Protein backbone atom coordinates (compact mmCIF):
# COMPACT_ATOMS: atom_id res chain seq x y z
CA UNK A 1 0.00 0.00 0.00
CA UNK A 2 1.32 3.47 -0.80
CA UNK A 3 0.04 6.77 0.52
CA UNK A 4 0.00 9.76 -1.84
CA UNK A 5 -0.88 13.32 -0.80
CA UNK A 6 -3.71 15.27 -2.40
CA UNK A 7 -2.97 17.00 -5.71
CA UNK A 8 0.07 14.88 -6.60
CA UNK A 9 0.80 13.86 -10.18
CA UNK A 10 1.18 10.04 -10.11
CA UNK A 11 2.33 9.72 -13.72
CA UNK A 12 2.26 11.74 -16.91
CA UNK A 13 0.78 10.97 -20.31
CA UNK A 14 3.54 9.78 -22.66
CA UNK A 15 5.81 8.23 -20.02
CA UNK A 16 6.59 4.51 -19.95
CA UNK A 17 5.16 2.72 -16.94
CA UNK A 18 5.31 -0.69 -15.33
CA UNK A 19 2.87 -0.28 -12.46
CA UNK A 20 -0.92 -0.24 -12.31
CA UNK A 21 -2.79 0.90 -9.20
CA UNK A 22 -5.93 -0.17 -7.39
CA UNK A 23 -7.48 2.65 -5.34
CA UNK A 24 -8.18 1.76 -1.75
CA UNK A 25 -8.97 5.26 -0.50
CA UNK A 26 -9.42 8.68 -2.10
CA UNK A 27 -10.17 9.84 -5.65
CA UNK A 28 -7.87 9.90 -8.66
CA UNK A 29 -8.43 12.09 -11.71
CA UNK A 30 -7.44 10.80 -15.16
CA UNK A 31 -6.80 13.54 -17.73
CA UNK A 32 -5.14 14.25 -21.06
CA UNK A 33 -3.85 17.40 -22.73
CA UNK A 34 -5.26 18.37 -26.10
CA UNK A 35 -3.13 19.77 -28.93
CA UNK A 36 -3.63 23.32 -27.56
CA UNK A 37 -2.32 22.23 -24.16
CA UNK A 38 -5.74 22.30 -22.47
CA UNK A 39 -6.57 19.67 -19.85
CA UNK A 40 -9.45 17.27 -20.63
CA UNK A 41 -10.66 15.22 -17.66
CA UNK A 42 -11.54 11.68 -18.80
CA UNK A 43 -12.79 10.28 -15.53
CA UNK A 44 -12.55 10.42 -11.76
CA UNK A 45 -11.98 7.07 -10.10
CA UNK A 46 -12.56 5.92 -6.51
CA UNK A 47 -12.37 2.96 -4.16
CA UNK A 48 -11.96 -0.43 -5.85
CA UNK A 49 -11.12 0.95 -9.29
CA UNK A 50 -7.93 0.39 -11.25
CA UNK A 51 -5.85 2.73 -13.40
CA UNK A 52 -2.49 2.66 -15.15
CA UNK A 53 -3.21 -0.85 -16.43
CA UNK A 54 -3.06 0.02 -20.11
CA UNK A 55 0.66 0.76 -20.45
CA UNK A 56 1.35 -2.31 -18.34
CA UNK A 57 -0.70 -4.60 -20.58
CA UNK A 58 0.06 -3.28 -24.06
CA UNK A 59 3.66 -2.18 -23.45
CA UNK A 60 3.06 1.33 -24.73
CA UNK A 61 3.30 4.78 -23.16
CA UNK A 62 0.81 6.08 -20.60
CA UNK A 63 -2.37 6.99 -22.45
CA UNK A 64 -3.27 9.69 -19.91
CA UNK A 65 -2.01 11.42 -16.78
CA UNK A 66 -3.19 10.61 -13.26
CA UNK A 67 -3.43 12.93 -10.28
CA UNK A 68 -4.82 12.51 -6.75
CA UNK A 69 -7.81 14.63 -5.75
CA UNK A 70 -7.58 13.58 -2.08
CA UNK A 71 -4.97 12.02 0.16
CA UNK A 72 -4.98 8.56 -1.41
CA UNK A 73 -4.10 5.02 -0.48
CA UNK A 74 -3.15 2.95 -3.52
CA UNK A 75 -2.22 -0.69 -4.00
CA UNK A 76 0.46 -0.97 -6.70
CA UNK A 77 0.39 -3.96 -9.05
CA UNK A 78 3.56 -4.75 -10.94
CA UNK A 79 3.76 -5.60 -14.62
CA UNK A 80 5.00 -9.15 -13.89
CA UNK A 81 1.95 -9.95 -11.78
CA UNK A 82 -0.46 -8.80 -14.48
CA UNK A 83 1.51 -10.49 -17.26
CA UNK A 84 1.60 -13.71 -15.36
CA UNK A 85 -2.19 -13.77 -14.96
CA UNK A 86 -2.86 -12.62 -18.50
CA UNK A 87 -0.57 -15.15 -20.09
CA UNK A 88 -2.56 -17.92 -18.41
CA UNK A 89 -5.89 -16.53 -19.57
CA UNK A 90 -7.83 -17.62 -22.61
CA UNK A 91 -6.27 -16.46 -25.88
CA UNK A 92 -9.50 -14.83 -26.96
CA UNK A 93 -9.55 -12.75 -23.77
CA UNK A 94 -5.99 -11.63 -24.52
CA UNK A 95 -6.99 -10.60 -28.00
CA UNK A 96 -10.12 -8.79 -26.76
CA UNK A 97 -8.00 -6.96 -24.22
CA UNK A 98 -5.56 -5.82 -26.87
CA UNK A 99 -8.23 -4.56 -29.21
CA UNK A 100 -10.08 -2.74 -26.44
CA UNK A 101 -6.93 -1.00 -25.26
CA UNK A 102 -6.17 0.06 -28.79
CA UNK A 103 -9.66 1.52 -29.18
CA UNK A 104 -9.38 3.46 -25.93
CA UNK A 105 -6.06 4.90 -27.07
CA UNK A 106 -7.56 5.93 -30.40
CA UNK A 107 -10.55 7.54 -28.68
CA UNK A 108 -8.29 9.48 -26.32
CA UNK A 109 -6.20 10.64 -29.25
CA UNK A 110 -9.17 11.86 -31.24
CA UNK A 111 -10.51 13.60 -28.13
CA UNK A 112 -7.18 15.36 -27.80
CA UNK A 113 -7.26 16.25 -31.50
CA UNK A 114 -4.26 14.12 -32.33
CA UNK A 115 -4.31 12.13 -35.55
CA UNK A 116 -4.02 8.53 -34.43
CA UNK A 117 -2.38 7.41 -37.62
CA UNK A 118 0.56 9.78 -37.13
CA UNK A 119 1.05 9.59 -33.41
CA UNK A 120 0.59 5.91 -32.71
CA UNK A 121 3.60 4.34 -31.05
CA UNK A 122 4.43 0.95 -32.52
CA UNK A 123 4.00 -1.71 -29.87
CA UNK A 124 7.14 -3.59 -28.91
CA UNK A 125 6.57 -6.99 -30.46
CA UNK A 126 5.58 -9.58 -27.96
CA UNK A 127 6.63 -13.13 -28.92
CA UNK A 128 3.90 -14.50 -26.70
CA UNK A 129 1.36 -12.87 -29.01
CA UNK A 130 2.40 -15.20 -31.83
CA UNK A 131 1.57 -18.17 -29.64
CA UNK A 132 -1.80 -16.59 -28.88
CA UNK A 133 -2.53 -16.27 -32.61
CA UNK A 134 -1.50 -19.88 -33.22
CA UNK A 135 -3.81 -20.98 -30.46
CA UNK A 136 -6.76 -19.01 -31.80
CA UNK A 137 -6.10 -20.42 -35.26
CA UNK A 138 -6.08 -23.97 -33.94
CA UNK A 139 -9.26 -23.34 -31.90
CA UNK A 140 -10.95 -22.18 -35.05
CA UNK A 141 -9.78 -25.20 -37.01
CA UNK A 142 -11.09 -27.46 -34.25
CA UNK A 143 -14.49 -25.78 -34.39
CA UNK A 144 -14.60 -26.32 -38.14
CA UNK A 145 -13.46 -29.90 -37.66
CA UNK A 146 -16.40 -30.49 -35.33
CA UNK A 147 -18.85 -28.96 -37.80
CA UNK A 148 -17.41 -31.01 -40.66
CA UNK A 149 -17.60 -34.21 -38.64
CA UNK A 150 -13.85 -34.78 -38.74
CA UNK A 151 -13.58 -36.10 -35.17
CA UNK A 152 -13.67 -39.85 -34.66
CA UNK A 153 -13.89 -42.00 -31.57
CA UNK A 154 -11.31 -44.77 -31.44
CA UNK A 155 -11.05 -47.44 -28.78
CA UNK A 156 -8.13 -48.77 -26.78
CA UNK A 157 -8.98 -52.25 -25.50
CA UNK A 158 -9.18 -52.87 -21.76
CA UNK A 159 -8.37 -56.42 -20.79
CA UNK A 160 -9.13 -58.69 -17.84
CA UNK A 161 -5.63 -59.70 -16.66
CA UNK A 162 -6.90 -63.02 -15.33
CA UNK A 163 -8.53 -64.25 -18.55
CA UNK A 164 -6.77 -61.99 -21.13
CA UNK A 165 -10.21 -61.17 -22.56
CA UNK A 166 -11.25 -57.76 -23.75
CA UNK A 167 -13.84 -56.47 -21.31
CA UNK A 168 -14.05 -52.85 -22.31
CA UNK A 169 -12.34 -49.93 -23.97
CA UNK A 170 -11.27 -46.37 -23.38
CA UNK A 171 -12.82 -44.03 -25.95
CA UNK A 172 -10.21 -41.68 -27.39
CA UNK A 173 -10.84 -38.81 -29.74
CA UNK A 174 -8.96 -38.58 -33.05
CA UNK A 175 -9.07 -35.81 -35.60
CA UNK A 176 -9.23 -37.04 -39.16
CA UNK A 177 -8.07 -33.94 -41.00
CA UNK A 178 -8.59 -34.11 -44.78
CA UNK A 179 -5.18 -32.64 -45.56
CA UNK A 180 -3.06 -33.66 -42.54
CA UNK A 181 -4.50 -37.13 -41.93
CA UNK A 182 -5.20 -38.63 -38.52
CA UNK A 183 -4.11 -36.31 -35.71
CA UNK A 184 -3.73 -37.71 -32.20
CA UNK A 185 -5.21 -35.84 -29.24
CA UNK A 186 -1.78 -34.86 -27.88
CA UNK A 187 -1.80 -32.07 -30.46
CA UNK A 188 -5.16 -30.57 -29.64
CA UNK A 189 -6.76 -31.98 -26.50
CA UNK A 190 -5.40 -29.27 -24.19
CA UNK A 191 -6.75 -26.55 -26.45
CA UNK A 192 -10.06 -28.36 -26.77
CA UNK A 193 -10.44 -28.92 -23.04
CA UNK A 194 -9.56 -25.35 -22.20
CA UNK A 195 -11.99 -23.77 -24.60
CA UNK A 196 -15.78 -23.63 -24.52
CA UNK A 197 -15.78 -26.02 -27.48
CA UNK A 198 -15.32 -28.93 -25.11
CA UNK A 199 -19.00 -28.59 -24.15
CA UNK A 200 -20.59 -29.45 -27.54
CA UNK A 201 -17.71 -31.76 -28.49
CA UNK A 202 -17.99 -33.45 -25.08
CA UNK A 203 -21.67 -34.23 -25.66
CA UNK A 204 -20.88 -35.48 -29.14
CA UNK A 205 -18.33 -37.87 -27.56
CA UNK A 206 -20.98 -39.21 -25.19
CA UNK A 207 -23.46 -39.75 -28.02
CA UNK A 208 -20.86 -41.41 -30.20
CA UNK A 209 -19.88 -43.76 -27.37
CA UNK A 210 -23.55 -44.62 -26.74
CA UNK A 211 -23.96 -45.46 -30.45
CA UNK A 212 -20.73 -47.50 -30.50
CA UNK A 213 -21.83 -49.41 -27.44
CA UNK A 214 -24.97 -50.57 -29.20
CA UNK A 215 -22.96 -51.74 -32.21
CA UNK A 216 -20.61 -53.71 -29.95
CA UNK A 217 -23.54 -55.31 -28.13
CA UNK A 218 -25.09 -56.23 -31.45
CA UNK A 219 -22.04 -57.58 -33.24
CA UNK A 220 -20.28 -59.42 -30.42
CA UNK A 221 -21.40 -61.76 -27.67
CA UNK A 222 -20.14 -59.33 -25.00
CA UNK A 223 -22.79 -58.88 -22.35
CA UNK A 224 -21.09 -56.47 -19.99
CA UNK A 225 -18.67 -54.54 -22.15
CA UNK A 226 -17.89 -51.12 -20.71
CA UNK A 227 -16.71 -47.96 -22.42
CA UNK A 228 -14.63 -45.43 -20.50
CA UNK A 229 -15.23 -41.81 -21.45
CA UNK A 230 -12.77 -39.06 -20.51
CA UNK A 231 -14.50 -36.05 -19.00
CA UNK A 232 -12.69 -32.79 -18.27
CA UNK A 233 -13.32 -30.58 -15.26
CA UNK A 234 -14.71 -27.84 -17.44
CA UNK A 235 -17.33 -30.15 -18.92
CA UNK A 236 -18.16 -31.58 -15.59
CA UNK A 237 -18.98 -28.31 -13.85
CA UNK A 238 -20.85 -26.86 -16.84
CA UNK A 239 -24.37 -25.93 -15.78
CA UNK A 240 -25.91 -28.10 -18.51
CA UNK A 241 -23.90 -31.23 -17.72
CA UNK A 242 -26.20 -33.31 -15.49
CA UNK A 243 -29.41 -32.51 -17.35
CA UNK A 244 -27.90 -33.08 -20.78
CA UNK A 245 -26.40 -36.36 -19.65
CA UNK A 246 -29.82 -37.48 -18.39
CA UNK A 247 -31.42 -36.48 -21.68
CA UNK A 248 -28.80 -38.35 -23.70
CA UNK A 249 -29.28 -41.49 -21.62
CA UNK A 250 -33.01 -41.39 -22.41
CA UNK A 251 -32.51 -40.44 -26.04
CA UNK A 252 -30.14 -43.35 -26.68
CA UNK A 253 -31.85 -45.78 -24.28
CA UNK A 254 -28.60 -46.97 -22.75
CA UNK A 255 -27.84 -48.34 -19.32
CA UNK A 256 -25.27 -46.03 -17.64
CA UNK A 257 -23.70 -48.96 -15.76
CA UNK A 258 -21.85 -49.88 -18.97
CA UNK A 259 -20.07 -46.52 -19.04
CA UNK A 260 -17.23 -45.26 -16.90
CA UNK A 261 -16.60 -41.55 -16.52
CA UNK A 262 -12.84 -41.09 -16.47
CA UNK A 263 -11.69 -38.13 -14.45
CA UNK A 264 -8.31 -36.97 -13.26
CA UNK A 265 -7.55 -35.55 -9.84
CA UNK A 266 -7.25 -32.18 -11.57
CA UNK A 267 -11.04 -31.82 -11.69
CA UNK A 268 -10.79 -30.89 -8.02
CA UNK A 269 -9.36 -27.52 -9.06
CA UNK A 270 -12.91 -26.69 -10.11
CA UNK A 271 -13.87 -26.82 -6.43
CA UNK A 272 -15.72 -29.14 -4.12
CA UNK A 273 -19.00 -28.81 -6.06
CA UNK A 274 -17.40 -31.45 -8.30
CA UNK A 275 -17.89 -34.09 -5.62
CA UNK A 276 -21.62 -33.45 -5.55
CA UNK A 277 -21.89 -33.70 -9.36
CA UNK A 278 -19.85 -36.88 -9.20
CA UNK A 279 -22.30 -38.36 -6.70
CA UNK A 280 -25.25 -37.49 -8.93
CA UNK A 281 -23.62 -39.17 -11.94
CA UNK A 282 -23.02 -42.21 -9.78
CA UNK A 283 -26.66 -42.22 -8.70
CA UNK A 284 -27.69 -42.16 -12.35
CA UNK A 285 -25.74 -45.40 -12.67
CA UNK A 286 -22.48 -44.28 -14.29
CA UNK A 287 -19.29 -45.77 -12.93
CA UNK A 288 -16.43 -43.47 -11.99
CA UNK A 289 -12.76 -44.06 -12.77
CA UNK A 290 -9.95 -41.98 -11.39
CA UNK A 291 -7.39 -41.55 -14.18
CA UNK A 292 -3.61 -40.98 -13.86
CA UNK A 293 -3.87 -41.72 -10.17
CA UNK A 294 -0.85 -40.66 -8.15
CA UNK A 295 0.51 -38.15 -10.68
CA UNK A 296 -1.49 -35.09 -9.64
CA UNK A 297 -1.71 -33.34 -6.31
CA UNK A 298 -2.69 -36.01 -3.88
CA UNK A 299 -6.14 -35.74 -2.50
CA UNK A 300 -6.46 -38.59 -0.07
CA UNK A 301 -9.01 -36.69 1.97
CA UNK A 302 -11.32 -36.35 -1.05
CA UNK A 303 -10.84 -39.92 -2.14
CA UNK A 304 -12.96 -41.06 0.78
CA UNK A 305 -15.73 -38.61 -0.15
CA UNK A 306 -15.81 -39.44 -3.86
CA UNK A 307 -17.77 -42.38 -5.22
CA UNK A 308 -14.88 -43.89 -7.20
CA UNK A 309 -15.28 -47.39 -8.65
CA UNK A 310 -11.97 -47.77 -10.50
CA UNK A 311 -8.45 -46.55 -9.99
CA UNK A 312 -6.24 -46.29 -13.05
CA UNK A 313 -2.56 -46.56 -12.29
CA UNK A 314 -0.52 -44.36 -14.58
CA UNK A 315 2.07 -45.68 -17.03
CA UNK A 316 4.80 -43.69 -15.22
CA UNK A 317 4.47 -46.19 -12.35
CA UNK A 318 3.90 -49.25 -14.51
CA UNK A 319 7.06 -48.68 -16.59
CA UNK A 320 9.27 -48.74 -13.49
CA UNK A 321 7.52 -51.37 -11.46
CA UNK A 322 9.78 -54.22 -12.60
CA UNK A 323 13.15 -52.62 -12.01
CA UNK A 324 12.55 -50.26 -9.15
CA UNK A 325 11.77 -51.58 -5.69
CA UNK A 326 10.52 -48.22 -4.45
CA UNK A 327 8.06 -47.90 -7.33
CA UNK A 328 6.89 -51.41 -6.60
CA UNK A 329 6.23 -50.44 -2.99
CA UNK A 330 4.29 -47.34 -4.05
CA UNK A 331 2.19 -49.31 -6.53
CA UNK A 332 1.61 -51.98 -3.90
CA UNK A 333 0.33 -49.33 -1.47
CA UNK A 334 -1.88 -47.64 -4.05
CA UNK A 335 -3.49 -50.94 -4.96
CA UNK A 336 -3.92 -51.84 -1.30
CA UNK A 337 -5.57 -48.47 -0.64
CA UNK A 338 -7.80 -48.69 -3.70
CA UNK A 339 -9.00 -52.15 -2.84
CA UNK A 340 -9.66 -51.19 0.78
CA UNK A 341 -11.91 -48.44 -0.59
CA UNK A 342 -13.72 -50.99 -2.75
CA UNK A 343 -12.23 -50.02 -6.10
CA UNK A 344 -11.14 -52.10 -9.06
CA UNK A 345 -7.60 -51.51 -10.25
CA UNK A 346 -6.69 -50.86 -13.87
CA UNK A 347 -3.03 -50.74 -14.93
CA UNK A 348 -2.33 -48.33 -17.77
CA UNK A 349 0.39 -48.48 -20.40
CA UNK A 350 1.19 -52.20 -20.25
CA UNK A 351 3.75 -52.91 -22.95
CA UNK A 352 5.27 -56.30 -22.14
CA UNK A 353 4.46 -59.58 -20.45
CA UNK A 354 6.75 -58.86 -17.50
CA UNK A 355 4.82 -55.68 -16.69
CA UNK A 356 1.52 -57.52 -16.98
CA UNK A 357 2.66 -60.34 -14.72
CA UNK A 358 4.00 -57.93 -12.14
CA UNK A 359 0.93 -55.68 -12.09
CA UNK A 360 -1.35 -58.69 -11.91
CA UNK A 361 0.59 -60.19 -9.04
CA UNK A 362 0.39 -56.85 -7.22
CA UNK A 363 -3.39 -57.00 -7.50
CA UNK A 364 -4.37 -55.12 -10.67
CA UNK A 365 -7.44 -56.77 -12.18
CA UNK A 366 -7.55 -54.99 -15.51
CA UNK A 367 -5.02 -53.61 -17.94
CA UNK A 368 -4.66 -51.39 -20.95
CA UNK A 369 -1.64 -50.71 -23.13
CA UNK A 370 0.16 -51.27 -26.41
CA UNK A 371 0.67 -54.94 -25.54
CA UNK A 372 -3.08 -55.46 -25.90
CA UNK A 373 -3.56 -52.91 -28.60
CA UNK A 374 -3.32 -49.24 -29.48
CA UNK A 375 -6.46 -47.25 -30.03
CA UNK A 376 -8.37 -48.57 -33.04
CA UNK A 377 -11.50 -47.96 -35.04
CA UNK A 378 -14.75 -49.50 -33.88
CA UNK A 379 -14.78 -52.13 -36.64
CA UNK A 380 -11.27 -53.24 -35.71
CA UNK A 381 -12.20 -53.47 -32.03
CA UNK A 382 -15.20 -55.65 -32.85
CA UNK A 383 -13.02 -57.90 -34.99
CA UNK A 384 -10.51 -58.20 -32.16
CA UNK A 385 -13.21 -59.04 -29.61
CA UNK A 386 -14.63 -61.72 -31.88
CA UNK A 387 -11.16 -63.21 -32.50
CA UNK A 388 -10.45 -63.89 -28.83
CA UNK A 389 -11.90 -67.20 -27.82
P1 LIG B 1 -2.22 3.80 -18.72
O1 LIG B 1 -2.23 4.07 -20.17
O2 LIG B 1 -1.20 2.84 -18.19
O3 LIG B 1 -2.07 5.18 -17.97
C1 LIG B 1 -3.16 6.09 -18.03
C2 LIG B 1 -4.38 5.41 -17.48
O4 LIG B 1 -5.58 6.17 -17.54
C3 LIG B 1 -4.72 4.22 -18.35
O5 LIG B 1 -3.68 3.28 -18.24
C4 LIG B 1 -6.09 3.88 -17.85
O6 LIG B 1 -6.02 3.28 -16.57
C5 LIG B 1 -6.69 5.30 -17.67
N1 LIG B 1 -7.44 5.74 -18.88
C6 LIG B 1 -6.95 5.97 -20.11
N2 LIG B 1 -7.91 6.37 -20.96
C7 LIG B 1 -9.07 6.38 -20.26
C8 LIG B 1 -10.44 6.73 -20.59
N3 LIG B 1 -10.79 7.11 -21.81
N4 LIG B 1 -11.36 6.63 -19.60
C9 LIG B 1 -10.99 6.23 -18.37
N5 LIG B 1 -9.74 5.91 -18.00
C10 LIG B 1 -8.77 5.99 -18.93
MG1 LIG C 1 -8.02 -41.61 -19.66
Amino acid sequence: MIVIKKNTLIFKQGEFGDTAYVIDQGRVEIFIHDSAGEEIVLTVLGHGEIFGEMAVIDNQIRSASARTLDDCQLIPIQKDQIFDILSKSDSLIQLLMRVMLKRTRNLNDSLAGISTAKEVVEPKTNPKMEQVFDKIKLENQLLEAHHNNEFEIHHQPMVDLQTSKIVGSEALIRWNNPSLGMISPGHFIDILENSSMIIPVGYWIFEECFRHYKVIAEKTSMKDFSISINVSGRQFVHYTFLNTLKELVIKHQINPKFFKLELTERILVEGLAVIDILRQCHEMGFLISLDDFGTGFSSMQYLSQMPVDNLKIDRSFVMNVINDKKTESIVHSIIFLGKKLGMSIIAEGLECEAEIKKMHSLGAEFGQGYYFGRSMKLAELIEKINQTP
Side-chain angles (χ1 to χ4, degrees):
M1 181 87 74
I2 52 173
V3 179
I4 301 185
K5 285 249 163 284
K6 181 173 171 166
N7 283 329
T8 311
L9 188 68
I10 304 169
F11 54 70
K12 246 168 66 188
Q13 180 182 358
E15 292 174 351
F16 280 100
D18 48 20
T19 312
Y21 303 88
V22 175
I23 305 171
D24 187 36
Q25 261 181 49
R27 289 168 308 150
V28 172
E29 183 176 62
I30 305 291
F31 62 99
I32 51 175
H33 284 104
D34 67 13
S35 44
E38 287 295 312
E39 257 184 36
I40 305 172
V41 175
L42 295 173
T43 186
V44 174
L45 305 170
H47 172 77
E49 291 184 294
I50 190 168
F51 66 95
E53 77 294 342
M54 291 174 56
V56 170
I57 295 170
D58 68 11
N59 248 331
Q60 293 197 29
I61 52 175
R62 295 288 190 194
S63 59
S65 305
R67 156 198 312 133
T68 52
L69 294 180
D70 305 302
D71 290 347
C72 281
Q73 290 193 15
L74 307 176
I75 305 163
I77 304 176
Q78 301 306 325
K79 195 174 198 137
D80 289 350
Q81 287 170 272
I82 293 184
F83 249 85
D84 195 42
I85 294 166
L86 269 184
S87 63
K88 286 184 198 132
S89 74
D90 190 84
S91 42
L92 205 53
I93 304 244
Q94 293 183 41
L95 197 67
L96 280 174
M97 190 88 85
R98 253 171 78 100
V99 78
M100 281 157 70
L101 293 188
K102 198 167 171 190
R103 282 183 199 157
T104 307
R105 283 186 185 277
N106 289 351
L107 275 175
N108 287 0
D109 286 349
S110 58
L111 207 62
I114 302 166
S115 152
T116 305
K118 258 189 261 159
E119 295 288 330
V120 81
V121 179
E122 270 308 305
K124 295 173 195 160
T125 43
N126 178 357
K128 277 193 178 157
M129 234 26 235
E130 282 310 309
Q131 290 174 17
V132 170
F133 289 140
D134 287 348
K135 213 177 139 217
I136 289 175
K137 245 198 259 172
L138 185 56
E139 275 178 9
N140 220 289
Q141 287 170 333
L142 288 170
L143 198 62
E144 274 176 26
H146 181 47
H147 285 144
N148 298 339
N149 255 317
E150 289 169 15
F151 290 131
E152 286 178 14
I153 293 298
H154 288 202
H155 297 263
Q156 184 171 41
M158 198 177 287
V159 168
D160 182 330
L161 296 181
Q162 181 73 41
T163 62
S164 296
K165 279 197 170 164
I166 300 176
V167 290
S169 73
E170 177 173 357
L172 298 162
I173 190 167
R174 289 279 178 282
W175 176 10
N176 192 356
N177 183 289
S179 46
L180 299 172
M182 204 60 86
I183 304 172
S184 73
H187 293 101
F188 63 88
I189 200 77
D190 275 354
I191 305 251
L192 194 66
E193 286 190 345
N194 288 313
S195 79
S196 53
M197 239 182 324
I198 191 61
I199 306 303
V201 175
Y203 293 138
W204 174 82
I205 294 174
F206 270 105
E207 294 208 69
E208 198 66 359
C209 287
F210 293 168
R211 281 184 217 115
H212 282 197
Y213 179 80
K214 287 191 166 168
V215 180
I216 294 167
E218 201 183 290
K219 300 204 167 170
T220 72
S221 55
M222 293 293 306
K223 288 285 162 279
D224 45 12
F225 191 86
S226 74
I227 298 184
S228 297
I229 304 171
N230 291 286
V231 186
S232 76
R234 191 169 183 141
Q235 256 176 297
F236 210 66
V237 298
H238 196 263
Y239 70 100
T240 61
F241 185 70
L242 282 171
N243 278 338
T244 308
L245 201 54
K246 279 179 197 155
E247 283 169 20
L248 294 181
V249 165
I250 293 167
K251 177 179 167 192
H252 290 270
Q253 293 282 301
I254 55 91
N255 187 338
K257 75 171 183 182
F258 297 122
F259 298 88
K260 296 174 179 163
L261 307 187
E262 246 181 51
L263 312 149
T264 65
E265 293 165 282
R266 272 176 316 206
I267 57 151
L268 286 168
V269 303
E270 302 286 347
L272 294 182
V274 160
I275 295 179
D276 189 50
I277 301 171
L278 210 61
R279 286 208 184 111
Q280 296 196 51
C281 291
H282 206 241
E283 276 163 21
M284 282 167 73
F286 285 100
L287 296 177
I288 311 291
S289 293
L290 208 50
D291 207 355
D292 303 338
F293 187 76
T295 60
F297 57 91
S298 253
S299 44
M300 294 297 168
Q301 53 168 331
Y302 301 123
L303 207 55
S304 64
Q305 297 173 36
M306 298 198 289
V308 179
D309 304 285
N310 308 281
L311 215 54
K312 291 188 89 169
I313 300 180
D314 193 65
R315 158 113 192 110
S316 57
F317 290 111
V318 172
M319 65 195 285
N320 292 317
V321 78
I322 307 168
N323 302 318
D324 184 45
K325 280 279 159 212
K326 283 187 182 167
T327 303
E328 184 180 333
S329 302
I330 292 171
V331 170
H332 187 79
S333 314
I334 292 177
I335 293 180
F336 179 79
L337 173 77
K339 291 201 158 177
K340 273 273 174 211
L341 294 173
M343 302 168 188
S344 292
I345 312 295
I346 304 164
E348 271 186 308
L350 294 171
E351 292 186 358
C352 62
E353 278 182 38
E355 285 171 359
I356 296 168
K357 260 200 181 138
K358 189 73 190 180
M359 288 306 294
H360 191 211
S361 73
L362 286 171
E365 292 117 319
F366 303 100
Q368 203 182 316
Y370 289 170
Y371 182 85
F372 302 114
R374 298 183 178 231
S375 69
M376 54 189 80
K377 290 188 181 234
L378 178 65
E380 224 178 305
L381 176 77
I382 290 175
E383 206 175 304
K384 210 171 160 73
I385 295 172
N386 287 334
Q387 270 167 8
T388 9

